[in-house]
């Protein structure tokens, strides 16, 4: 009989999820059950980080889970998928080798490709698992929703070729991840795809074009913008010689 990394079978996982009582323990059991259900998609449950993670060829995709602060035994137990994150080891190495051509980021974000609040892209990001009898159904429903929403979101930044057309508009807002995605393309030697990404951003609106020009002016003046600032994409386009 197949078991997960903790050595528990599907029957044991289900028994734990149904039988536990404390909100924290039930939440962690629900995360472990999600790890089992999403294992065919390459994800595994990390108890310490309360996240589901998938690794492939130096790329890390993470779904972060969080229990409700209002959870009380016998009254309410619920949790949500709160965020999606993508990291890339090759991009991290490129940034370290090109420190003067990228903005400063926290050390934990050196490999960031993109991220989003799951609440912003989901119609129903949570599972209510107060009653033992309904826990498996509620968590399975959230797993299916994650497959419908989270997995396509991860895929949108998965393949650098064609990335410029695939990523959601929300990632390209002035304070979003356009610059991070641009650097992903540059780290792969895809300058033309990077230029296509810039062009798509500029077509999104006047505010994008104004911020882009401001960023290029910062680069010309020898200044460096903050990470996630509206000017960062224009700055990168100049220092990377893309336009």
């Amino acid at each position: 009989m197949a078991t997960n990394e903790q050595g528990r079978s599907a029957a044991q996982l289900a028994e734990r999820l149904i039988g536990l009582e404390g909100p924290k323990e039930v939440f962690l059991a629900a995360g472990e059950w999600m790890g089992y259900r999403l294992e065919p998609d390459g994800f595994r449950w990390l108890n310490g980080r309360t996240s589901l993670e998938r690794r492939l060829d130096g790329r890390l995709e993470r779904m972060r889970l969080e229990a409700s602060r209002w959870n009380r035994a016998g009254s309410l137990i619920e949790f949500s998928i709160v965020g999606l994150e993508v990291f890339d080891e090759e991009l991290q190495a490129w940034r370290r080798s090109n420190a003067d051509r990228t903005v400063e980021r926290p050390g934990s974000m050196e490999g960031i490709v993109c991220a989003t609040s799951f609440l912003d892209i989901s119609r129903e990001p949570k599972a209510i698992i107060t009653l033992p009898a309904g826990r498996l159904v509620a968590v399975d429903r959230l797993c299916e929703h994650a497959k419908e929403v989270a997995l396509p979101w991860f895929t949108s930044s998965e393949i650098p070729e064609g990335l410029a057309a695939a990523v959601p508009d929300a990632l390209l807002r002035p304070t979003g991840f356009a610059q991070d995605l641009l650097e992903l393309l540059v780290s792969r030697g895809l300058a033309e795809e990077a230029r296509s990404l810039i062009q798509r951003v500029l077509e999104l609106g006047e505010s994008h074009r104004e911020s882009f020009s401001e960023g290029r002016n910062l680069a010309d003046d020898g200044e460096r913008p903050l990470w996630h600032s509206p000017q960062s994409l224009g700055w990168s386009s100049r220092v990377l010689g893309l336009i």
Side-chain angles (χ1 to χ4, degrees):
M1 180 180 296
T3 60
N4 69 354
E5 292 184 355
Q6 287 73 38
R8 286 190 270 267
S9 67
Q12 290 171 324
L13 292 172
E15 183 179 358
R16 278 173 52 79
L17 178 55
I18 294 170
L20 292 170
E21 297 181 2
K24 180 178 179 180
E25 290 74 20
V26 172
F27 163 56
L28 294 177
E32 193 173 0
W33 179 256
M34 287 187 73
Y36 161 70
R37 291 305 305 269
L38 293 172
E39 185 178 1
D41 297 290
F43 287 90
R44 65 188 184 100
W45 169 247
L46 277 77
N47 212 58
R49 285 205 286 262
T50 63
S51 66
L52 295 152
E53 300 187 359
R54 177 166 67 180
R55 292 181 180 270
L56 180 64
D57 296 333
R59 177 182 168 94
L60 166 65
E61 298 171 346
R62 176 183 293 151
M63 281 189 269
R64 293 187 296 105
L65 309 187
E66 187 175 281
S68 170
R69 58 188 284 191
W70 307 111
N71 282 350
R72 298 291 185 275
S75 176
L76 174 68
I77 305 177
E78 69 177 30
F79 72 97
S80 303
I81 302 174
V82 294
L84 308 179
E85 301 169 331
V86 179
F87 296 85
D88 184 90
E89 292 179 359
E90 189 173 335
L91 175 58
Q92 180 181 38
W94 180 90
R95 285 175 176 149
R96 288 178 176 175
S97 299
N98 295 272
D100 59 335
R101 299 203 296 162
T102 185
V103 297
E104 293 184 9
R105 295 172 180 78
S108 61
M109 293 289 111
E110 278 189 330
I112 190 73
V113 173
C114 56
T116 188
S117 165
F118 193 68
L119 282 67
D120 290 343
I121 64 173
S122 166
R123 70 179 187 276
E124 185 52 69
K126 67 181 178 181
I128 298 175
I129 51 176
T130 311
L131 300 177
R135 286 174 185 166
L136 286 173
V137 172
V139 179
D140 282 348
R141 187 182 300 119
L142 185 59
C143 283
E144 290 304 312
H145 186 51
K147 290 182 180 181
E148 295 172 358
V149 179
L151 268 59
W153 186 90
F154 285 130
T155 300
S156 70
S157 65
E158 189 175 43
I159 304 173
E161 295 88 345
L163 180 147
V167 294
D169 285 353
L171 288 178
L172 304 179
R173 65 185 186 275
T175 56
F177 288 86
Q179 187 218 17
D180 301 275
L181 292 162
L182 185 79
E183 291 181 343
L184 174 68
L185 295 169
V186 171
S187 73
R188 299 300 199 271
L190 298 171
E192 287 307 312
E193 188 72 23
R195 292 186 179 95
S196 295
L197 180 70
I198 291 171
Q199 188 58 40
R200 182 177 165 201
V201 171
L202 296 179
E203 291 171 354
L204 289 175
E206 183 60 30
S207 63
H208 292 72
R209 292 189 287 273
E210 290 177 357
S211 298
F212 187 82
S213 295
E214 292 169 2
R216 288 175 65 79
N217 291 336
L218 283 177
D220 291 339
D221 293 339
E223 300 181 36
R224 181 180 298 191
L226 297 173
W227 180 47
H228 275 321
S229 67
Q231 298 81 20
S232 59
L233 181 66
W235 181 86
S236 284
S237 76
R238 175 67 87 186
V239 300
L240 296 173
L242 293 170
I243 291 183

